[in-house]
Structure formats: structure tokens, C-alpha cells
Amino acid sequence: MPSPLSPPIVIAHRGASGERPEHTLAAYRLAIAQGADVIEPDLVPTKDDVLVARHENEISETTDVADHPEFAARRTTKEIDGKRQTGWFTEDFTLAELKTLRARERLPLLRPDNRAFDGQETIPTLVEIIALAKEAGVGIYPETKHPTYFASIGHPTDAPLVAALHAAGWDAPDAPAFIQSFEVANLKRLAGMTRLRLIQLVAADGAPADGAVGSYAAMTTPAGLRDVARYAWGIGPDKAMLWDGDAATPLVADAHAAGLRVHPWTYRAENYFVRAGFRHGLNPRGHGDITGEIRAALAQGVDGFFTDFPAIGVAARKGK
């Protein structure tokens, strides 16, 4: 199996989140057992500034917080990156309070089997995930979520993230750690704080929430990619950006020409997520040909990929 430093790498997106509730130690352990090179936590802060793994800081979809009457008054509405959200938010809870909650499946209609694991796991901290990764000898690929928003409310996340990774002994360009963000300004700040590899995430539509660049489309032109290469080691594009219908776009070649690696996201097995040509049947929760979809990306020369199903990703990389 390739080392965490050798492409193409299999990045376990929120763990083996196709088979266990995402961002739980159980999901990460299963991903490691399935051969993932790297495990990926999205990070948000608590009220007492501990980084924890959740897809978003609003946690009503991924925990049982709504079932806790002692936290009913914490339900509120906030505007985050221009979007109004109502629910419960990690920054309003201490770590001790969050640890009283239990994780649950975020996509129960598409992944009903995962509901069997609801209530079994707590919300893990970054430190706990690092310890697991080090014990297993795999890499870690944290995403900083909403860094500008959190800094604006007095909970900046860049420095705590770097401190935790450096404390683990990961402070060199060849360390088995990557840092990713959809924003630009915080990656540029991070470039001055660490030698770890930075990944600029880009989406098929829209623009970075910090307003540093006018659009993701501008960032993925040849000139835009050269600008990204001044502070980042690679890009993480939406997998749709690799294709124009059935034809490959020039994105992978253009990124490589700029000196950037390419790690597209996210390969999921359900028909709801796979590209049209790889679907099997009409059931949204039925599994399509995720193996074929991954192999098509590998044929373009991607340097790794995010997947909710690491076992399938490992097999696809091996050509099985």
C-alpha cells in the first residue's frame, strides 16, 4: 500500500462515513482498517476553544442535542458566511457539555443502515483523532470550517490547529498531515505559520466566503492556479470540475502545470451522488459504479481523492 506521502492517496472523508456516522472515532477506525492513507476531520471550536470534528458548527443534524432539555434554550439563529441557520452551535457549548451528546447519522434517508450506530459515539476532539492517526500510522487531513466567521466571534481556529499538529511532531513538508480550507486568507496566514502542506478547496460555483477572490472559477484558470501555487501545495476541487459532460476538463493538467497536486471530492457510492453515467437503477440510495467513477478520475492523473467508502477507493486504486 502506498505510504501517506505517495500518490494517489485515499482520503477517508469524515472517516468511513458511508458505513458509520461521520466524524466519529468508529468511522475513522473503520476507514483505517479498510486501508485509507489519510483520515479527514472537519474542525469547529467549542466555547472553551477546543477543536472538535463536525461537518458544521450547527449540530442538530449530527447529534441528539434536540433530545436534551437542558440545552433547549441554546437553540438560536445565526448568520454564518451569509446564510441564516437555526439550531445549536458548537461555539455555545463547552467540550464537557458536547461530550454529553451522542452522534447520529446525518443522511438517514440515504444511509438507513448507519442509523444502527446512532447514539454509540461522542464528538471526538482533534487531539483524540491525532492520537488515533499516530497509533495507526496514517495521515490526517483537517479542514478549517468557517475560519473568518470564527475569528470574528473571538474563536480563531488557525493557531490552535497548527499548535496541535506541531505538538504531534508534524511540522515538516513531508509530515503525514495536510490542512485544507475553502477560504483563501486563512491559508495564506497558515503558510506563514507552518511548513505543512496546504490544500485550497474549490467548488464548482460561488466564491470563497472571505471575499479574497471573486470566484472559484477565477481561481481555477491557469493564471488563478499559478496564484494558488504561491501559498498552497495542492487543490481540492469538486469532482464535477473534472468533467464537461463525458470529456475531461483541463483542470488536472492545468493544476499540475502550476505545480499543484489535485485531490477531488467526494466519491460516494449512492446513485444520488455518482455521476449520471455511473448510476445503477433509479433508487437514490442504491449504489452506482463508484469504482468506475474513481478510476475515471485516476485516469486523468489525480494525486488522491476523498471518498466516504475507503474500502472501495483502495480497491479502485489497485485496479480491482
Side-chain angles (χ1 to χ4, degrees):
M1 182 182 76
S3 78
L5 308 183
S6 301
I9 59 172
V10 176
I11 305 157
H13 184 244
R14 309 174 193 171
S17 53
E19 299 178 75
R20 297 291 187 276
E22 66 186 31
H23 291 315
T24 59
L25 291 181
Y28 295 126
R29 289 190 185 102
L30 180 58
I32 292 165
Q34 292 178 343
D37 302 301
V38 184
I39 55 177
E40 188 245 8
D42 298 330
L43 298 177
V44 293
T46 66
K47 185 176 183 179
D48 43 352
D49 291 311
V50 178
L51 294 177
V52 297
R54 288 291 88 187
H55 170 56
E56 290 289 345
N57 51 324
E58 201 290 296
I59 54 174
S60 62
E61 288 188 331
T62 61
T63 73
D64 62 354
V65 64
D67 299 331
H68 286 251
E70 68 272 26
F71 298 137
R74 306 277 180 96
R75 190 171 188 267
T76 187
T77 298
K78 302 188 180 190
E79 184 171 308
I80 300 170
D81 293 348
K83 297 180 180 178
R84 288 179 65 82
Q85 299 181 46
T86 298
W88 289 263
F89 298 83
T90 59
E91 64 267 28
D92 297 330
F93 293 79
T94 65
L95 177 62
E97 290 172 329
L98 283 181
K99 283 291 189 180
T100 67
L101 307 180
R102 291 296 181 269
R104 68 182 190 187
E105 173 56 40
R106 187 174 65 89
L107 302 172
L109 296 180
L110 288 174
R111 295 171 176 172
D113 291 349
N114 286 6
R115 298 184 65 183
F117 303 96
D118 285 356
Q120 296 184 11
E121 295 281 322
T122 62
I123 297 175
T125 67
L126 172 61
V127 170
E128 290 172 325
I129 297 168
I130 288 174
L132 175 63
K134 287 181 71 71
E135 179 183 3
V138 302
I140 188 171
Y141 205 126
E143 178 185 346
T144 64
K145 303 290 288 192
H146 311 298
T148 297
Y149 164 76
F150 285 122
S152 76
I153 62 170
H155 294 285
T157 55
D158 292 344
L161 171 57
V162 169
L165 294 172
H166 287 187
W170 296 335
D171 59 0
D174 61 350
F178 307 78
I179 301 175
Q180 54 174 326
S181 178
F182 278 103
E183 296 189 18
V184 174
N186 80 304
L187 281 182
K188 290 182 176 180
R189 284 194 304 273
L190 286 163
M193 299 167 63
T194 183
R195 296 182 297 160
L196 293 172
R197 290 166 290 182
L198 307 180
I199 305 295
Q200 177 67 66
L201 298 173
V202 290
D205 302 297
D210 60 5
V213 181
S215 70
Y216 290 121
M219 297 176 70
T220 51
T221 64
L225 291 166
R226 289 193 294 272
D227 288 339
V228 170
R230 292 188 174 97
Y231 61 89
W233 182 84
I235 61 168
D238 181 337
K239 64 176 184 174
M241 300 173 75
L242 273 59
W243 303 98
D244 181 4
D246 291 329
T249 69
L251 180 59
V252 175
D254 288 346
H256 286 167
L260 294 164
R261 277 68 166 187
V262 182
H263 296 163
W265 51 269
T266 300
Y267 292 91
R268 294 164 161 142
E270 294 85 4
N271 283 323
Y272 185 84
F273 297 113
V274 299
R275 289 176 56 225
F278 296 93
R279 293 171 189 156
H280 289 163
L282 300 177
N283 184 350
R285 74 174 62 152
H287 284 199
D289 183 14
I290 178 180
T291 299
E293 190 180 16
I294 290 171
R295 287 177 180 170
L298 291 171
Q300 284 202 38
V302 300
D303 304 284
F305 55 91
F306 293 78
T307 180
D308 290 6
F309 294 84
I312 297 175
V314 170
R317 179 180 61 187
K318 292 179 179 177
K320 295 183 178 179

